[in-house]
Amino acid sequence: MFLKAKAFLIFIISDAISLFSSTTSVMIFLGILTSRYKEDDFLKSLPTKMILGLFTLFLSIATMMITFSAALYILLHGKSWIIIPVILLSSVPITSFVWMQFPFLVEIFVSTYGLDIFDRENLKKGWWSTSIPNVR
């Protein structure tokens, strides 16, 4: 019955992606918590794992919302007066979480890899030619 419906295909694919990305995110965060780090690891290794963990967490949340929406559409087909408010209300905590954590992801990315990957002029000049502010 559901095998030929596009909404069911969307449900299955997004559910699988959500499962894989959430499991990956949990494993990355557990790896961060349980491993020992030297001072040098805090410069590249730890921020890179944190970036990957947050990215897979955001991917998991997005695909989980797609899965939830597809399941509502399949079960309540034709009752958009129920589907739309429920999806909007369920997206409020997800949106607030992403709103609070995305700047953290950007900050970690910029502090780890620098702005040079986005600014081609600084990349051509090289990191050594940038001026260091005089701090007193």
Side-chain angles (χ1 to χ4, degrees):
M1 177 174 161
F2 290 129
L3 292 177
K4 295 184 181 183
K6 288 184 181 180
F8 187 69
L9 184 64
I10 291 171
F11 172 80
I12 293 295
I13 292 171
S14 61
D15 189 39
I17 293 171
S18 178
L19 173 71
F20 298 143
S21 60
S22 65
T23 305
T24 303
S25 177
V26 167
M27 293 299 171
I28 290 172
F29 287 133
L30 283 175
I32 290 172
L33 285 174
T34 59
S35 61
R36 292 191 220 164
Y37 287 102
K38 295 184 266 181
E39 291 177 13
D40 296 336
D41 293 336
F42 284 91
L43 196 57
K44 287 284 182 185
S45 177
L46 183 64
T48 301
K49 288 181 182 179
M50 195 70 170
I51 289 168
L52 287 173
L54 283 172
F55 175 74
T56 54
L57 180 65
F58 289 149
L59 180 65
S60 171
I61 290 171
T63 53
M64 185 176 23
M65 286 303 298
I66 293 169
T67 301
F68 178 72
S69 302
L72 276 179
Y73 179 78
I74 290 169
L75 294 175
L76 302 173
H77 187 69
K79 296 180 182 177
S80 62
W81 62 275
I82 297 175
I83 297 172
I84 294 172
V86 168
I87 290 173
L88 290 176
L89 285 174
S90 66
S91 65
V92 169
I94 304 299
T95 305
S96 65
F97 175 76
V98 171
W99 188 270
M100 290 185 292
Q101 293 299 320
F102 189 73
F104 178 60
L105 176 65
V106 171
E107 184 178 335
I108 290 174
F109 191 83
V110 168
S111 68
T112 303
Y113 300 109
L115 288 175
D116 288 339
I117 62 170
F118 297 117
D119 190 9
R120 293 290 178 195
E121 291 300 318
N122 282 342
L123 188 61
K124 288 178 186 175
K125 285 191 251 179
W127 62 270
W128 56 88
S129 65
T130 58
S131 63
I132 299 172
N134 190 4
V135 179
R136 292 182 189 192

